[in-house]
Amino acid sequence: MGLSITKTEMYNRTLAFATRVAIMLKSVPKGYTEDNIVKQLAKSSSSVGANYREACHAKSPEDFASKLKICEGEADETLYWLQLLANTDIIPEKRLRNLIQEARELVAILTASTKTAYSRCRKKSDVQNSKSTNRNQN
């Protein structure tokens, strides 16, 4: 699968992911450790899509890149909490396998998108600096 994805597809994919995580979290047993993981996982998984939507309304290319970086971090944090649930046998790894795979894919998509966004900001900055230098030399 390529990493190319439309804004609408990403909206839908991140919402579906957060929904699937929320549904799975209902089955986590109660306890101090479990409650902490549930709280962290609920926050990070829902933040991926919420921050992506915010990035799509960024005020500038630099703001977009910065907000995408936040999405990337939230997706990676979600992956961490899912892996912790599996590693501690709170939820069997087999039940988490698809969510873990989706989290990995979201991290990969967001990492690539963030790199592209920052690269575009640097190119734009280089062009503006070049124009400014040329004007100052004339």
Side-chain angles (χ1 to χ4, degrees), residues 124-137:
K124 182 179 174 185
S125 176
D126 290 346
V127 167
Q128 288 173 342
N129 288 339
S130 176
K131 286 180 181 178
S132 177
T133 301
N134 288 342
R135 270 185 264 158
N136 291 339
Q137 289 176 352

Side-chain angles (χ1 to χ4, degrees), residues 4-16:
S4 180
I5 187 167
T6 68
K7 179 170 98 172
T8 301
E9 289 170 333
M10 195 65 168
Y11 272 14
N12 294 336
R13 191 167 176 174
T14 57
L15 179 60

Side-chain angles (χ1 to χ4, degrees), residues 51 63 68 82 100 113 121:
N51 282 300
D63 188 35
L68 268 188
L82 288 168
I100 289 171
S113 296
C121 289

Side-chain angles (χ1 to χ4, degrees), residues 101-120:
Q101 182 58 36
E102 179 66 358
R104 284 186 177 127
E105 289 178 19
L106 288 172
V107 169
I109 291 165
L110 291 163
T111 298
S113 296
T114 300
K115 286 179 182 176
T116 300
Y118 276 120
S119 174
R120 288 179 180 160

Side-chain angles (χ1 to χ4, degrees), residues 2 18 28 36 45 69 75 81 96 101 109 119 123 129 135 138:
V28 176
N36 182 54
S45 64
K69 188 68 175 169
W81 292 116
L96 296 172
Q101 182 58 36
I109 291 165
S119 174
K123 286 179 185 175
N129 288 339
R135 270 185 264 158
N138 290 332

Side-chain angles (χ1 to χ4, degrees), residues 46-100:
S46 60
S47 288
V48 178
N51 282 300
Y52 180 76
R53 287 171 183 239
E54 190 174 330
C56 291
H57 298 285
K59 293 175 175 64
S60 68
E62 293 79 10
D63 188 35
F64 176 74
S66 177
K67 289 178 191 245
L68 268 188
K69 188 68 175 169
I70 293 168
C71 297
E72 178 188 337
E74 293 293 343
D76 193 48
E77 180 181 342
T78 300
L79 177 58
Y80 169 83
W81 292 116
L82 288 168
Q83 290 171 325
L84 185 61
L85 275 179
N87 290 350
T88 56
D89 290 324
I90 292 171
I91 299 287
E93 188 275 335
K94 186 176 183 177
R95 277 194 50 212
L96 296 172
R97 196 170 292 150
N98 291 336
L99 285 173
I100 289 171

